[in-house]
């Protein structure tokens, strides 16, 4: 039986941390280790971590951001397989055993699985992420600039030897967060990715009571494009210098184009919506029509919903944008 490490990176999430640690310790895969990285928390997180004694290994560091925490975590991992669990998320008891069966069956660099979306109190929302599966050879499409569908950090398990070829990641001020971007897309350049089509964990969204266009705990729709663009530029540099792989200057990703779409048409006057569609929507529609990961049914449905923004009824237009952008907004319909 090969060993698996579950790494929990935490910063001031003491109110959720114990449940994350408990879910890691409750795995039915006996060869599971738990490592907690505390990135300079100022709440009661460190007392919570210490209460577990020798059941977890811990690193207490000064605050440096998520990228810094990932760098330290990857450097400390001693097992060949690792899962990077956010401290506000949860794993099902059979998560590790499920991914290990896949790892042991083939030479994958990453195994990903769905996460059920829960609210801040842990109540299931009925939604899950991601909604599309990635092909095993998604690295080939990544070399063409297509970011493949992936769950957030907690829905991924990695071969550590591959992860160590990507990390450490530069810790520049503009790059303090989004460490999972480099893990998710960096390792796909090194081998095949497997998808388990079932939920093996839970992704906690703190803003479920506000059903606007922003989904989850990542950057808001107006900040996401710049953050993703910066991360892609850094990944390109790393791929070139460390892996001798040339990635294209720009990338294609529906979530990025969706951010531009939302910023342009949500709660916008009718004339402004038409102006954006007629002059600036080419990349958005390309990310739908040419998307190599989507079915024809999904493409047609998204195009149909997007077209509602061309109607003069602002309420209908805003509904369509919310439905496209935020999976939680779909629960009411």
């Amino acid at each position: 039986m090969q060993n698996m490490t579950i790494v929990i990176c935490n910063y001031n999430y003491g109110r959720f941390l114990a449940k994350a640690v408990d879910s890691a310790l409750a795995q039915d895969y006996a060869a599971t280790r738990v490592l907690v990285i505390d990135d300079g928390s100022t709440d009661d997180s460190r007392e919570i971590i210490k209460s577990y004694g020798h059941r977890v290994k811990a690193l207490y560091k000064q605050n440096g951001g998520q990228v810094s925490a990932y760098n330290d975590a990857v450097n400390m991992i001693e097992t060949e397989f690792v899962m990077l669990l956010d401290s506000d998320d949860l794993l099902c008891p059979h998560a590790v055993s499920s991914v290990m069966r896949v790892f042991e069956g083939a030479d994958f660099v990453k195994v990903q699985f769905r996460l059920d979306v829960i609210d801040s109190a842990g109540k299931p929302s009925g939604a899950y992420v991601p909604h599309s599966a990635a092909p095993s050879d998604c690295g080939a499409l990544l070399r063409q600039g297509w970011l493949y569908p992936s769950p957030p950090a907690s829905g991924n398990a990695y071969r550590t030897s591959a992860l160590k070829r990507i990390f450490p990641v530069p810790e520049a001020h503009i790059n303090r967060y989004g460490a999972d971007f480099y893990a998710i897309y960096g390792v796909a350049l090194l081998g095949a990715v497997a998808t388990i089509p079932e939920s093996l964990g839970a992704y906690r969204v703190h803003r479920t009571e506000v059903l606007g266009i922003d989904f989850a705990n990542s950057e808001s729709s107006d900040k996401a494009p710049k953050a993703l663009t910066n991360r892609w530029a850094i990944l390109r540099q790393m791929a070139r210098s460390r892996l001798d792989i040339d990635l294209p200057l720009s990338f294609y990703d529906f979530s990025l184009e969706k951010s531009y779409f939302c910023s342009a048409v949500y709660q916008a006057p009718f004339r402004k919506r038409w102006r954006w569609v007629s002059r600036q929507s080419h990349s958005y529609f390309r990310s739908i029509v040419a998307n190599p990961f989507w079915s024809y049914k999904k493409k047609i449905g998204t195009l149909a919903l997007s077209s509602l923004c061309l109607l003069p009824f602002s309420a209908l237009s805003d509904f369509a944008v919310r439905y496209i952008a935020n999976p939680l907004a779909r629960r009411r319909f």
Side-chain angles (χ1 to χ4, degrees), residues 90-138:
L90 305 170
L91 291 175
C92 297
H94 61 289
V96 174
S97 58
S98 296
V99 301
M100 288 306 297
R101 281 194 293 271
V102 179
F103 273 128
E104 291 167 357
D107 190 27
F108 293 109
V109 293
K110 192 187 92 157
V111 176
Q112 64 180 46
F113 49 87
R114 291 191 326 215
L115 296 172
D116 289 330
V117 178
I118 60 175
D119 65 14
S120 58
K123 181 181 178 181
S125 69
Y128 61 82
V129 288
H131 292 95
S132 303
S136 61
D137 63 346
C138 57

Side-chain angles (χ1 to χ4, degrees), residues 108 110-114 129-142 146-151 155-156 184-185 188 191-197 291-294 298:
F108 293 109
K110 192 187 92 157
V111 176
Q112 64 180 46
F113 49 87
R114 291 191 326 215
V129 288
H131 292 95
S132 303
S136 61
D137 63 346
C138 57
L141 289 165
L142 187 62
W146 282 99
L147 301 188
Y148 66 91
S150 174
N156 301 278
I184 289 168
Y185 299 111
V193 172
T195 299
I196 297 176
N291 196 309
F293 311 110
W294 286 14
K298 184 170 182 177

Side-chain angles (χ1 to χ4, degrees), residues 155-172:
N156 301 278
Y158 302 92
R159 193 174 292 272
T160 306
S161 55
L163 209 57
K164 286 182 179 288
R165 294 184 63 186
I166 305 301
F167 287 81
V169 172
E171 299 177 16

Side-chain angles (χ1 to χ4, degrees), residues 15 23 30 53 86 130 135 208 298 316:
R15 61 194 184 280
S23 76
D86 285 344
T208 54
K298 184 170 182 177
L316 185 59

Side-chain angles (χ1 to χ4, degrees), residues 28-29 35 51 83 188 214 251 262 278 317 332:
D28 61 10
Y29 189 80
L35 167 64
S51 72
M83 299 173 75
D214 291 331
F251 62 95
C262 292
S278 62
S317 172
R332 294 184 173 181

